[in-house]
Amino acid sequence: MTTPSIGLTVKGVSFRYRHEHVLDNVDLEVPPGQFLGVLGPNGCGKTTLLGILAGVLNPESGTVLDGGEDVHQMSRRRIAGIMAVVPQESAFTFPYTALEVVLMGRAPHLDRFSLEGERDLGVAKAAMERTDAWQFRDRHMDELSGGEKQRVILARALAQEARVLLLDEPTSALDLRHQADIHASLAGL
């Protein structure tokens, strides 16, 4: 599959929670290989916009296009093959190890009842090394600090090998050294 030359495009997107308008006629375009930062105060709609971009929330009006194709017409599996999301917070109710969590990022590349193979493990290991999380591979997520968990979640997104990374304050729980390392790593992708 070839990478579309058209990036991510948002046209006239509006969204409201009940009666509160959060987004009103938002337009933006992100060409392939580019970073876009969305800045604003808490509660202004940044996370909502990411949810719409990822196809998790449906806009009241407008469209989100990836390579000219409407994201909200795609299957969840197809979206997962294109976009990886790093949320502000992640909760795990089962005692997954860090490696198991990162391997979850490989799901869009596996057949329905397939297990991960050597290539998947190699991709996961490389992603964890890139985020300085490989040393946590055998530890359960509930044993990790907030910053360590965030590095694992970022590794999961990298292991997904998606064309688009949607990051919602991905370094907010990290110490300064790891913030700098993650920014450099993302710039190198």
Side-chain angles (χ1 to χ4, degrees), residues 14-132:
S14 295
F15 186 86
R16 74 175 71 215
Y17 290 104
R18 296 187 190 185
H19 301 294
E20 182 183 356
H21 231 107
V22 179
L23 301 174
D24 187 24
N25 200 30
V26 174
D27 290 322
L28 63 91
E29 191 168 319
V30 186
Q34 297 295 309
F35 283 89
L36 171 71
V38 179
L39 304 175
N42 292 342
C44 73
K46 301 179 300 288
T47 298
T48 300
L49 178 60
L50 287 178
I52 291 170
L53 294 176
V56 175
L57 296 174
N58 289 314
E60 181 178 79
S61 62
T63 57
V64 176
L65 306 172
D66 176 73
E69 188 177 349
D70 189 339
V71 169
H72 292 93
Q73 300 301 315
M74 295 178 187
S75 70
R76 294 298 316 147
R77 182 179 179 87
R78 179 131 156 53
I79 292 171
I82 296 168
M83 297 183 195
V85 178
V86 176
Q88 285 183 37
E89 298 177 355
S90 299
F92 296 93
T93 55
F94 293 100
Y96 294 115
T97 66
L99 179 57
E100 288 170 331
V101 169
V102 174
L103 284 169
M104 289 175 191
R106 300 301 300 155
H109 304 283
L110 301 174
D111 292 330
R112 179 166 261 183
F113 297 108
S114 297
L115 296 174
E116 301 87 359
E118 282 185 47
R119 182 180 186 293
D120 301 301
L121 184 57
V123 169
K125 181 180 180 188
M128 292 180 85
E129 288 174 341
R130 186 170 224 159
T131 63
D132 194 26

